[in-house]
Amino acid sequence: MAYLAKIAPSLFVLLWSTGFIGSKLGAPYIEPMAFLTVRFAAVLPILFILGLFWVKSWPKDKKAIGHCIVTGMLVHGIYLGGVFWAIKQGMPAGASAIIVGLQPVLTAIFAVGMIGEVISRKHWISMAIGLSGLGLVLGPRFDLAGSGITLVTISVVFFSVIAISVGTVYQKRFVPNTDLLAATFWQYVGALLVTTPLSLFETWQITWSGELIVALAWLVLVLSIGAIMLLMLLIRQGAVSQVASLFYLVPVATAIESYFLFGETLSMIQIAGMALVVGAVLMIRTAPKRT
């Protein structure tokens, strides 16, 4: 467990960044809310079976279960649902990624207000540097010609970022001792409570292809189980503002992966932005934690 705690931040960034790759593979074959609903529904039986062997104590208190469900609605259902919906309406992925880049800053603000976490001046400066670097990384991907950039889509994505920011702090405050696997199971129940009703407004026309099956398998096993449990572990062990700073690295990792997998180019400005982001996260990770 001690070794896992050391490599968890790097492993989380690597796994979480592949969510874009999996979504890009599966998107042409299924609508967004149906995609998320199938993904979340597939996770539940796997987690339940794993829980039969590894969960020592399932939460029996209705309040504890309720907190897990609320966390799942915020972190998975509203966040992913909002971003997927906005992109489906034509909002460029690069534009949404810039708004999502506000998450570490918003999480830090909510952490101060909700759990009294003290953020040092060095931490705030590091987040500003990280945000600037993120702008350089994502700037070339921002396409103003996209007709999907509207007040509605921008508002939906921004609300989604608020949801995951609040959900991250909420999990730290109200779900501190629940078994990670059991908590994750109930979180996906909460996620389904959001995406299932919304998916009823879609046609549910699914074209089953090799790409969709591979994408679903990857998103279910690697993202929805592996990466999320790592995130819950990181939140439990550290200051949420420091954990949130890792999300600065996700677009950087995704840009590098896209370079190798899809041949997308990287400019010198993007590389400079990546260096700023990495430096900022290193500063944040070494900043003293005070609560």
Side-chain angles (χ1 to χ4, degrees):
M1 182 61 72
Y3 178 73
L4 177 61
K6 290 181 180 180
I7 67 170
S10 300
L11 187 58
F12 167 74
V13 171
L14 178 62
L15 296 182
W16 192 264
S17 66
T18 63
F20 168 79
I21 308 298
S23 300
K24 186 172 183 177
L25 283 175
Y29 308 102
I30 185 172
E31 292 170 290
M33 294 303 161
F35 196 178
L36 290 173
T37 299
V38 171
R39 171 181 167 181
F40 297 152
V43 170
L44 288 178
I46 297 174
L47 287 176
F48 182 75
I49 293 172
L50 292 176
L52 294 178
F53 296 96
W54 288 332
V55 174
K56 296 181 180 179
S57 176
W58 287 85
K60 298 180 177 61
D61 181 21
K62 291 183 179 180
K63 184 178 293 187
I65 294 174
H67 287 320
C68 292
I69 290 176
V70 171
T71 300
M73 294 175 71
L74 293 168
V75 173
H76 308 304
I78 298 177
Y79 168 65
L80 289 177
V83 173
F84 272 47
W85 180 87
I87 293 176
K88 179 67 174 179
Q89 303 309 307
M91 187 176 196
S96 62
I98 290 175
I99 301 174
V100 171
L102 295 172
Q103 189 212 336
V105 178
L106 292 175
T107 301
I109 293 172
F110 288 126
V112 171
M114 291 175 64
I115 59 176
E117 196 166 283
V118 180
I119 312 297
S120 67
R121 180 180 299 178
K122 176 183 177 183
H123 195 140
W124 287 115
I125 293 174
S126 300
M127 284 195 293
I129 294 173
L131 197 60
S132 300
L134 191 63
L136 294 178
V137 173
L138 298 174
R141 297 167 177 259
F142 188 82
D143 182 13
L144 287 176
S147 59
I149 301 179
T150 66
L151 179 61
V152 174
T153 54
I154 290 174
S155 300
V156 168
V157 175
F158 186 70
F159 180 74
S160 302
V161 177
I162 291 177
I164 191 174
S165 301
V166 172
T168 301
V169 181
Y170 188 96
Q171 196 271 344
K172 176 75 173 183
R173 179 174 179 179
F174 294 108
V175 196
N177 301 314
T178 306
D179 182 276
L180 285 175
L181 192 59
T184 304
F185 174 88
W186 285 110
Q187 283 179 22
Y188 282 115
V189 172
L192 280 172
L193 291 178
V194 175
T195 61
T196 302
L198 294 175
S199 72
L200 298 179
F201 294 94
E202 298 178 340
T203 64
W204 272 87
Q205 293 181 351
I206 303 174
T207 303
W208 290 103
S209 65
E211 288 85 354
L212 178 58
I213 294 173
V214 169
L216 270 175
W218 182 266
L219 292 173
V220 167
L221 298 175
V222 178
L223 266 294
S224 295
I225 296 178
I228 289 300
M229 290 193 65
L230 281 173
L231 177 60
M232 298 302 105
L233 176 65
L234 288 167
I235 292 173
R236 183 167 296 184
Q237 291 186 337
V240 292
S241 56
Q242 288 195 332
V243 174
S245 69
L246 294 174
F247 283 87
Y248 277 146
L249 292 173
V250 172
V252 173
T254 301
I256 295 173
E257 291 160 6
S258 298
Y259 172 79
F260 287 106
L261 294 175
F262 303 119
E264 297 182 7
T265 58
L266 292 173
S267 66
M268 291 303 298
I269 291 179
Q270 286 179 296
I271 295 173
M274 291 178 184
L276 279 177
V277 170
V278 172
V281 173
L282 288 176
M283 290 173 64
I284 292 172
R285 298 294 293 174
T286 57
K289 293 181 289 185
R290 295 178 295 162
T291 56

